[in-house]
Amino acid sequence: MTRRNRVLNIALIGCGGTARNYRHIYTQIPGAQLRLVVDAVEERARDAAAQLHVERWSTDFTECLTPDIDIVDISTPNHLHAEQAIAALRDGKHVIIQKPIAATVQEAEGIVEAARETQMQAGMYMGQLDNPLIHDVKSIVHDGKLGRVSAVHCRAATTRGLRATRDDWRSSLAKTGGGALIQLGVHLLNAMQWLMDSAIISVMGYSKNMMSENIGGDDLTTAAFELSNGILGTVSSSYCAPGWSLSIYGTGGYLDIGGSAALEMQLSDTHSSDLLNYDSPGEVQRFDPPFERKARHSLDNPFEQHLAFVNAIKQGKGAPVPAAVGLWDLKVVKAIYDSAQQRRVVDIR
């Protein structure tokens, strides 16, 4: 029986953190079944199994290396991603990995190589791509309604660093591979490259820990970058001040998504979709948040990434966001850190 015609069995590794927001989707996907949940904290694994009505739970990752498991979702601390993903790939499992792909570029390269060698699919979960609004924005850009784009700006920040404790793995430079930029900024760096259909090829950054004494990595990073198509941009990430935003500027207008997901834009043409109705070319229009975050992880959302990954496996297709994309995003992050340390422009290879 082919994968298209049988139920795919899924193991979730890491039940807390971001996984709490989406883990229920695996109990709803037609042709798939959540068979195993694993967490280092026994109570969390047991509670997740009860809430999701899953019979098997464990604190041991290797429990997923059994013949009945087809897909492994890895939502564990960054420093565990490579070891777990490579073991699962070599055991004949497909894997989907929470961002960032790993704590180091060398580890990320190991994942990509293991997927190539085993011919199994290794994919990434990048949270911005669940958002239907981001897909609407991409259509606006590619339809030329902003004219020729020249600049992009993004910011991903919280005050988490001010409240951090030293025993949290997110506070460890060794376990995360950085700080605010690798944990938060990587989302929008990925989204900007996807929106522009262009890779970041050089960066110049400043990065420091200004206020978060329990964080081992950065709590404040700002960088300028150049995309391969010539567009210039900036990214800012922080653990010591809040605020999320994404802005795109072109010869025909601009578009700005604020931290509440409210949207302001000026376009050169009308735009109509299920989310937006812009009807006054050349004028600024503002829109309330068109899509609630909690609704993203639903079968009603055609862009839900876990659903998309499972369906791709069923159909014998490649991962919607391949691990190679996660590797490049990590190279961008590490290049920004290197630039800040070396006080120079860093080209990315």
Side-chain angles (χ1 to χ4, degrees):
M1 184 180 294
T2 66
R3 279 198 169 94
R4 294 188 186 203
N5 300 320
R6 69 173 177 84
V7 172
L8 292 177
N9 293 321
I10 300 167
L12 173 63
I13 315 300
C15 301
T18 299
R20 287 194 180 96
N21 298 324
Y22 68 77
R23 63 192 189 187
H24 65 277
I25 195 72
Y26 286 131
T27 68
Q28 302 170 4
I29 300 174
Q33 182 177 12
L34 185 58
R35 290 292 302 274
L36 170 68
V37 294
V38 178
D39 198 280
V41 178
E42 179 177 332
E43 182 180 7
R44 194 155 57 210
R46 186 174 59 248
D47 289 350
Q51 293 169 17
L52 300 169
H53 306 289
V54 176
E55 291 184 3
R56 291 169 56 194
W57 64 268
S58 178
T59 59
D60 182 1
F61 161 78
T62 62
E63 288 292 319
C64 76
L65 304 180
T66 54
D68 62 317
I69 298 297
D70 303 293
I71 295 173
V72 177
D73 180 312
I74 296 174
S75 188
T76 55
N78 305 354
H79 69 295
L80 300 176
H81 289 183
E83 177 184 356
Q84 294 173 344
I86 291 170
L89 289 165
R90 289 178 176 166
D91 198 60
K93 322 299 184 192
H94 301 290
V95 299
I96 179 169
I97 306 164
Q98 174 66 239
K99 66 79 200 166
I101 186 171
T104 71
V105 169
Q106 182 178 9
E107 290 172 343
E109 289 173 337
I111 294 171
V112 172
E113 179 62 17
R116 186 193 66 79
E117 290 177 350
T118 62
Q119 296 298 295
M120 306 305 293
Q121 292 299 319
M124 296 296 304
Y125 171 62
M126 301 303 300
Q128 290 297 310
L129 300 186
D130 275 328
N131 189 351
L133 178 59
I134 294 296
H135 294 263
D136 221 2
V137 167
K138 186 162 187 172
S139 71
I140 289 171
V141 172
H142 284 259
D143 288 345
K145 295 176 182 179
L146 290 173
R148 183 178 176 184
V149 174
S150 59
V152 294
H153 304 292
C154 57
R155 173 177 171 81
T158 73
T159 56
R160 177 184 297 162
L162 304 179
R163 307 183 300 274
T165 59
R166 292 185 183 275
D167 59 350
D168 188 332
W169 71 267
R170 296 171 185 83
S171 299
S172 168
L173 177 60
K175 292 181 179 180
T176 62
L181 182 66
I182 198 170
Q183 291 293 92
L184 304 178
V186 68
H187 279 295
L188 294 182
L189 287 169
N190 171 270
M192 279 301 188
Q193 293 175 96
W194 177 79
L195 284 167
M196 297 298 111
D197 279 331
S198 185
I200 294 173
I201 57 171
S202 67
V203 299
M204 177 66 205
Y206 291 87
S207 185
K208 64 175 68 176
N209 189 314
M210 178 178 282
M211 303 180 188
S212 306
E213 61 182 18
N214 289 331
I215 296 291
D218 58 298
D219 76 347
L220 184 64
T221 294
T222 297
F225 57 80
E226 182 178 9
L227 293 157
S228 60
N229 59 8
I231 292 172
L232 300 181
T234 61
V235 59
S236 178
S237 192
S238 177
Y239 268 158
C240 59
W244 287 70
S245 63
L246 184 155
S247 304
I248 305 171
Y249 301 91
T251 57
Y254 73 94
L255 182 152
D256 180 71
I257 303 174
S260 63
L263 172 67
E264 178 179 292
M265 62 184 181
Q266 176 185 336
L267 307 181
S268 61
D269 199 353
T270 60
H271 176 78
S272 182
S273 69
D274 291 340
L275 297 179
L276 303 171
N277 183 28
Y278 177 89
D279 55 12
S280 301
E283 296 184 10
V284 174
Q285 286 186 240
R286 296 176 178 84
F287 300 86
D288 291 330
F291 198 84
E292 292 187 21
R293 188 178 186 86
K294 66 182 180 181
R296 292 187 192 179
H297 300 296
S298 161
L299 295 185
D300 294 330
N301 178 10
F303 305 110
E304 210 290 325
Q305 290 184 76
H306 308 89
L307 171 64
F309 184 82
V310 172
N311 285 340
I313 300 306
K314 288 184 68 68
Q315 296 163 16
K317 298 180 179 179
V321 183
V325 171
L327 170 58
W328 188 262
D329 292 340
L330 184 62
K331 286 184 176 182
V332 172
V333 168
K334 295 296 188 177
I336 291 173
Y337 286 146
D338 288 345
S339 171
Q341 183 177 27
Q342 300 167 17
R343 299 291 176 135
R344 66 177 182 86
V345 174
V346 172
D347 293 327
I348 306 170
R349 297 289 187 264

